[in-house]
Amino acid sequence: MRRKTPPPLPQRFGLDPARMRLPEDGSWATVRAHLADRLPLVTPAVLDAMFIERRIADLNGPLELDAPYVPGGVVWFHRELPVEAPVPYPIGIVHRDEHLLVVDKPHFLATIPRGKHIQQTALVKLRRELDLPELSAAHRLDRVTAGLVMFVINRADRGRYQTLFRDRLVHKEYEAVAPVNPGLVLPMTVRSRIHKERGVITAQEVDGPPNAVTTLELLEQRDGLGRYRLLPLTGRTHQLRLHLSRLGIPILGDDFYPEITDRPLDDFTRPLQLLAKTLRFTDPITGEDRHLTSRQSLAAWTDYASWASAASLRPR
């Protein structure tokens, strides 16, 4: 496998620079002129500042404002970052060795940078707080799901840990709080075909051979609510949320299923009651058997009244 060329710019706020190839048929006089066309949302003043602050470079180093356009060349740059509301929950460390970091991700914290969530992501925060510039995610959890996430400390080891998830060699258990449906015979296994269209916020179950399989069992119940154990054999987008919603027991706090509820990004109340509780696997480097368990619990089960009100977590 061919190794990527290391970027000529260091990380900024825990983020690698973006890489952009310049078109072979380009007729721009300068790199700045090309970037002005390529990045229309970046104002001229901000673009100039990116050059002046030496945040745009090629393999020879930072570029000047009048750097000539080189067809087929490559540039790296650090963009301006969006303003983000701080997520008011800590990241817990469950396991750390020279190869692997497993953390307890809180609700509302994205795993990796994407869209409007950049600095307020587990990857970026951990890179900065633990001084681990090569840290990368072996898998992901939804922003609103809490629980165990595996990170790889050295870039060279990433593929070996990602392969565990690709080949379904990681045993995963989740917990959820949802209504009890007396008509369901549990435990049961749900199979369906899930399709997630790019650019559409929710996934859908469609006709066709199953590509999503979940086993669920009811651990305990009270006051019309149940605490469920969920065992996903597959890892489709929103799989657990879709399957429970289809069974008529949508997970408490779900803003997507069965209906979309608009929630501001800085509203950290009533988190989705879904927790990635357990990871079990054989470490591909050390050969050790790992059995890791989240230290978090689901608030709607331990203190439903506090979870349901939760006004204290709204930003002021």
Side-chain angles (χ1 to χ4, degrees), residues 28-39 47 51 65 67 69:
W28 297 271
T30 64
V31 172
R32 186 200 178 284
H34 173 68
L35 292 178
D37 287 347
R38 192 83 170 265
L39 306 173
L47 186 57
F51 278 96
L65 275 165
Y69 182 85

Side-chain angles (χ1 to χ4, degrees), residues 142 144 238-245 254 256-257 272:
D142 289 344
V144 291
H238 299 173
Q239 173 178 321
L240 302 179
R241 298 162 69 178
L242 263 172
H243 280 172
L244 267 67
S245 179
D254 197 334
F256 287 1
Y257 307 98
L272 176 73

Side-chain angles (χ1 to χ4, degrees), residues 2 51 90 92 109 116 119 124 133 144-145 153 171 190 201 216 223 227 230 246 251 266 272 281 285 290 295:
R2 188 173 64 181
F51 278 96
L109 186 69
K116 296 180 180 179
Q119 295 190 76
V124 171
V144 291
T145 301
I153 291 176
H171 174 81
V190 183
I201 196 170
L216 69 152
D223 301 326
R227 185 170 70 91
L230 311 176
R246 193 241 288 181
I251 299 172
D266 62 352
L272 176 73
F281 59 95
I285 294 179
R290 306 286 188 197
R295 299 176 185 132

Side-chain angles (χ1 to χ4, degrees), residues 35 37 60 72 112 271 303 310:
L35 292 178
D37 287 347
N60 296 314
I112 62 173
D303 188 351

Side-chain angles (χ1 to χ4, degrees), residues 207-248:
D207 293 334
N211 62 3
V213 181
T214 304
T215 296
L216 69 152
E217 58 182 292
L218 181 61
L219 297 175
E220 51 184 328
Q221 60 178 307
R222 63 170 181 257
D223 301 326
L225 293 178
R227 185 170 70 91
Y228 295 85
R229 177 185 290 129
L230 311 176
L231 306 175
L233 180 62
T234 55
R236 310 302 298 187
T237 299
H238 299 173
Q239 173 178 321
L240 302 179
R241 298 162 69 178
L242 263 172
H243 280 172
L244 267 67
S245 179
R246 193 241 288 181
L247 293 173

Side-chain angles (χ1 to χ4, degrees), residues 53-246:
E53 295 170 8
R54 305 177 74 77
R55 286 193 274 137
I56 302 176
D58 62 11
L59 284 176
N60 296 314
L63 298 174
E64 303 296 333
L65 275 165
D66 60 352
Y69 182 85
V70 179
V74 177
V75 297
W76 287 260
F77 60 92
H78 285 291
R79 301 191 191 207
E80 290 293 297
L81 299 177
V83 176
E84 302 174 64
V87 176
Y89 301 98
I91 305 174
I93 305 298
V94 176
H95 172 85
R96 180 177 177 179
D97 59 34
E98 62 181 312
H99 306 290
L100 193 62
L101 175 70
V102 180
V103 305
D104 232 346
K105 185 187 81 66
H107 298 284
F108 300 112
L109 186 69
T111 303
I112 62 173
R114 185 177 182 185
K116 296 180 180 179
H117 307 287
I118 306 298
Q119 295 190 76
Q120 289 297 307
T121 60
L123 177 63
V124 171
K125 290 168 75 74
L126 290 166
R127 278 180 175 176
R128 298 178 66 182
E129 293 172 6
L130 302 180
D131 191 23
L132 296 173
E134 290 193 12
L135 192 71
S136 58
H139 70 125
R140 288 181 282 175
L141 288 183
D142 289 344
R143 172 178 170 264
V144 291
T145 301
L148 299 182
V149 183
M150 185 190 302
F151 291 90
V152 183
I153 291 176
N154 302 303
R155 189 175 290 116
D157 296 332
R158 182 182 180 188
R160 301 178 73 174
Y161 287 100
Q162 286 183 319
T163 298
L164 292 176
F165 292 91
R166 183 197 68 191
D167 294 344
R168 301 178 184 173
L169 298 176
V170 179
H171 174 81
K172 298 179 286 185
E173 294 185 13
Y174 288 71
E175 286 191 8
V177 178
V180 170
N181 181 347
L184 292 178
V185 179
L186 299 176
M188 69 183 304
T189 298
V190 183
R191 296 177 174 85
S192 71
R193 185 167 191 82
I194 292 177
H195 173 70
K196 174 70 166 63
E197 186 175 338
R198 188 178 182 87
V200 177
I201 196 170
T202 56
Q204 295 183 0
E205 291 182 299
V206 297
D207 293 334
N211 62 3
V213 181
T214 304
T215 296
L216 69 152
E217 58 182 292
L218 181 61
L219 297 175
E220 51 184 328
Q221 60 178 307
R222 63 170 181 257
D223 301 326
L225 293 178
R227 185 170 70 91
Y228 295 85
R229 177 185 290 129
L230 311 176
L231 306 175
L233 180 62
T234 55
R236 310 302 298 187
T237 299
H238 299 173
Q239 173 178 321
L240 302 179
R241 298 162 69 178
L242 263 172
H243 280 172
L244 267 67
S245 179
R246 193 241 288 181

